[in-house]
Amino acid sequence: MPKFENQVLIDRPVFDVFKYVGDFKNDTNWRNVRGVGITSGDPIHTGSMVAMTRPLLGRKGFVNGDVTEYDRNKKIELKGSFWGFPFVHTIIFEHLGQQTNIKETLNISTRWMIWFGFFFNMTLNRTLKHELEQLKQLLDAHGDKKAV
């Protein structure tokens, strides 16, 4: 099962960063995501179900996940499927005074032929890195205040 780990340091306090990232409806502002739906009530909590469309390699992929852990200002974990492949997605928020380090880990079982799996994994990892950089730019510039 491929494991992708990326992290970014954001010049904002952890409660600001968690509040923004923890609201999955904001994903469309910084992730390569379309059409986010929370199917079990708002705000997000352990047990919430999330559905979204996530284009990759020029095709639409559907993500269905359950929030299995939601520890305010510390951790969010989802388990589900992306393009039918099982995944575990963890985001850890590390409080560093007026800064927050976000560590994002994605374990996904692609079960594809080796050559295509390698290409898919490389593309997915590049996408995840880019998304965290987008989040950093948005939050460092306080763009979340303009997007609300």
Side-chain angles (χ1 to χ4, degrees):
M1 179 181 286
K3 180 178 183 179
F4 307 103
E5 291 184 337
N6 294 294
Q7 59 183 344
V8 68
L9 184 64
I10 297 177
D11 292 326
R12 297 281 294 277
V14 71
F15 50 85
D16 287 345
V17 176
F18 187 89
K19 180 180 177 186
Y20 191 77
V21 174
D23 182 351
F24 293 120
K25 289 180 258 171
N26 290 327
D27 281 10
T28 58
N29 297 325
W30 64 279
R31 287 197 188 274
N32 186 26
V33 165
R34 310 288 179 268
V36 175
I38 293 51
T39 59
S40 58
D42 211 7
I44 300 292
H45 56 279
T46 301
S48 291
M49 297 185 317
V50 181
M52 60 184 75
T53 304
R54 188 174 176 87
L56 189 68
L57 299 171
R59 303 191 68 184
K60 280 190 212 177
F62 297 100
V63 177
N64 293 304
D66 297 322
V67 178
T68 55
E69 195 168 338
Y70 190 86
D71 190 3
R72 190 169 306 282
N73 297 329
K74 293 181 183 170
K75 181 178 181 182
I76 300 172
E77 183 176 88
L78 285 94
K79 291 183 181 175
S81 69
F82 174 47
W83 281 18
F85 303 117
F87 73 84
V88 177
H89 181 212
T90 306
I91 306 171
I92 306 255
F93 300 81
E94 184 182 2
H95 173 67
L96 302 170
Q98 292 300 309
Q99 295 180 313
T100 304
N101 188 55
I102 294 181
K103 181 179 179 187
E104 184 175 47
T105 305
L106 176 66
N107 289 297
I108 186 166
S109 178
T110 54
R111 302 184 312 261
W112 281 351
M113 293 183 286
I114 292 171
W115 66 272
F116 191 76
F118 175 77
F119 181 70
F120 176 84
N121 294 340
M122 184 176 64
T123 303
L124 183 57
N125 193 42
R126 187 173 51 240
T127 299
L128 295 172
K129 283 181 184 179
H130 177 73
E131 289 173 350
L132 280 182
E133 285 302 319
Q134 291 278 103
L135 178 65
K136 177 177 176 52
Q137 288 176 6
L138 179 74
L139 293 182
D140 281 355
H142 294 266
D144 57 315
K145 304 290 187 204
K146 299 170 196 155
V148 173

